[in-house]
Amino acid sequence: MAGAERALRTLAHNVRAARTRAGLTLDELGRRAKVSKGALVGLEKAQGNPNFATLVRLADTLGVSVSALLEGPAEGRVRVVTADAVAPLWTGAQGSEARLVLTTTGPAPTEVWRWALEPGEEYPSHPHQAGVVETVSVVSGRMALTVDGAEYIVEAGQTATFDGDAPHAYRGAGTGTCRLVMTVHLPPAAAT
């Protein structure tokens, strides 16, 4: 539990710091991100367990990456992260999961995710802020990518990219687990 408590304290600190930098009150952040003030108060006190969708809405509203809310200070010049060393930010009822492995630094950060989608299981994503671009590379299996109501099948060995400011969803579309690497390219204005 010490690791989970430490992660929640880091999240609380980072949300509070980003909110303060943005000059937002708890009420205003809650209104813009569609998160209750009570949930935000609890979060900033390192209490509760926010879901993935809440973290994405907070990050988008604050103009930062999801990992900027989750990560502590950088520890050195090179970071090597094992996907299994980070907890899933989303898990599906059938065993699907999404792990935010790391986020690059610099004026236009990129989030690197590892996903596993079980057949038929879907994750619907809220639209991101304007300027966010997502790229998905299917390593094994098959996925259905839906962007703004249109469905695209992406097979192992294929890569797709799209503007993330439209409604989109990912679904396992084959007979086995679909494994993919996703990058979320954030616009320079989102860097903090």
Side-chain angles (χ1 to χ4, degrees), residues 109-111 128-135 160-165 182-187:
T110 300
E111 298 175 349
H128 301 291
Q129 63 182 322
V132 171
V133 176
E134 292 194 21
T135 302
T161 189
F162 60 95
D163 293 334
D165 61 353
M182 172 195 295
T183 56
V184 179
H185 307 269
L186 304 169

Side-chain angles (χ1 to χ4, degrees), residues 120-190:
E121 192 153 37
E122 180 174 271
Y123 178 79
S125 180
H126 295 282
H128 301 291
Q129 63 182 322
V132 171
V133 176
E134 292 194 21
T135 302
V136 291
S137 294
V138 175
V139 177
S140 64
R142 182 178 198 225
M143 74 172 283
L145 170 65
T146 303
V147 178
D148 211 13
E151 184 174 281
Y152 305 87
I153 299 299
V154 186
E155 306 273 353
Q158 293 182 324
T159 299
T161 189
F162 60 95
D163 293 334
D165 61 353
H168 52 283
Y170 324 98
R171 187 180 77 251
T175 57
T177 303
C178 174
R179 298 195 185 283
L180 62 109
V181 175
M182 172 195 295
T183 56
V184 179
H185 307 269
L186 304 169

Side-chain angles (χ1 to χ4, degrees), residues 61-149:
T61 301
L62 292 167
V64 300
S65 66
V66 172
S67 63
L69 297 179
L70 298 171
E71 293 178 351
E75 296 180 12
R77 193 168 186 159
V78 175
R79 283 185 295 161
V80 177
V81 180
T82 304
D84 292 342
V86 293
L89 288 179
W90 171 74
T91 54
Q94 299 171 11
S96 297
E97 65 177 31
R99 295 173 189 254
L100 176 56
V101 180
L102 62 84
T103 300
T104 63
T105 58
T110 300
E111 298 175 349
V112 179
W113 294 80
R114 286 197 175 272
W115 286 71
L117 292 169
E118 296 302 325
E121 192 153 37
E122 180 174 271
Y123 178 79
S125 180
H126 295 282
H128 301 291
Q129 63 182 322
V132 171
V133 176
E134 292 194 21
T135 302
V136 291
S137 294
V138 175
V139 177
S140 64
R142 182 178 198 225
M143 74 172 283
L145 170 65
T146 303
V147 178
D148 211 13

